Amino acid sequence: TSALQAGSSLLPALESAVTEVRAPLRGELDHVLQRIRLGGDPLEVFDQLMQRLPLETVRLFSMTLAVHWEVGGSLGPTLASVARTVRDRIELSRRMQALTMQARVTTITVLASVYFIALMMWRNDPVRMEGFLSLTMGQILVAGCLVLQAAGIAWIGVIAKPRF
């Protein structure tokens, strides 16, 4: 974005980005730059970038570059807006992680308390617990409890996961 705002064209700006960015993204941007330099269709190269990295932010970045390649115009302010959007999404995701931490801690606490109570019952009266677990009804109840706990963990995981 800084190179574009300084008056550079897209390919030198991508070169600058390749030298500045860290390892995971560096290889992908270098691949994009090399494919364009070798005569590849930029729209196809940006589309392949979206397919290799199926992230919403990469999709937004690639679409922005593809539209600029087709239409032209000032790319610097547009990429600055994309960067601001990406930063806002990351901040929102972090906030949501912090807010959903309470649900995760509550789930862990409830699960731990169930197993703690079962352990205490076993230690206090092992004969009664063995008798309970030897009955078909006791085995069904324990299995049902485990299935319901697994379903609850899966449900909390779906509810607490950000969807953007």
Side-chain angles (χ1 to χ4, degrees):
T1 304
S2 300
L4 289 170
Q5 289 175 342
S8 183
S9 64
L10 181 58
L11 290 180
L14 278 176
E15 286 176 11
S16 174
V18 166
T19 60
E20 294 296 323
V21 84
R22 289 190 296 238
L25 190 56
R26 175 180 284 173
E28 292 297 329
L29 286 180
D30 190 38
H31 181 74
V32 166
L33 185 62
Q34 296 304 322
R35 292 275 318 266
I36 292 173
R37 281 187 182 153
L38 292 174
D41 181 27
L43 299 178
E44 183 180 317
V45 171
F46 297 138
D47 186 49
Q48 289 174 354
L49 177 65
M50 285 188 292
Q51 291 173 4
R52 280 193 313 272
L53 298 173
L55 302 170
E56 195 67 31
T57 55
V58 174
R59 184 173 165 259
L60 183 61
F61 174 73
S62 297
M63 287 292 213
T64 302
L65 292 179
V67 167
H68 172 72
W69 200 273
E70 280 291 310
V71 177
S74 179
L75 184 60
T78 306
L79 278 182
S81 175
V82 168
R84 190 171 33 259
T85 302
V86 169
R87 278 189 227 101
D88 289 345
R89 284 177 173 226
I90 290 170
E91 180 185 347
L92 182 61
S93 175
R94 288 180 181 161
R95 283 186 184 180
M96 288 182 68
Q97 288 291 329
L99 292 174
T100 59
M101 182 58 79
Q102 180 181 1
R104 289 190 295 260
V105 169
T106 302
T107 303
I108 291 169
T109 304
V110 168
L111 288 175
S113 66
V114 167
Y115 291 112
F116 178 74
I117 291 170
L119 178 66
M120 289 295 109
M121 288 177 65
W122 185 279
R123 288 189 50 120
N124 285 337
D125 197 359
V127 175
R128 184 177 284 178
M129 283 297 289
E130 287 174 8
F132 175 71
L133 292 175
S134 66
L135 295 174
T136 305
M137 182 57 98
Q139 293 171 359
I140 290 172
L141 289 174
V142 169
C145 189
L146 292 174
V147 168
L148 288 174
Q149 285 179 351
I153 290 170
W155 187 26
I156 291 293
V158 168
I159 290 173
K161 184 177 181 182
R163 291 181 186 85
F164 62 89

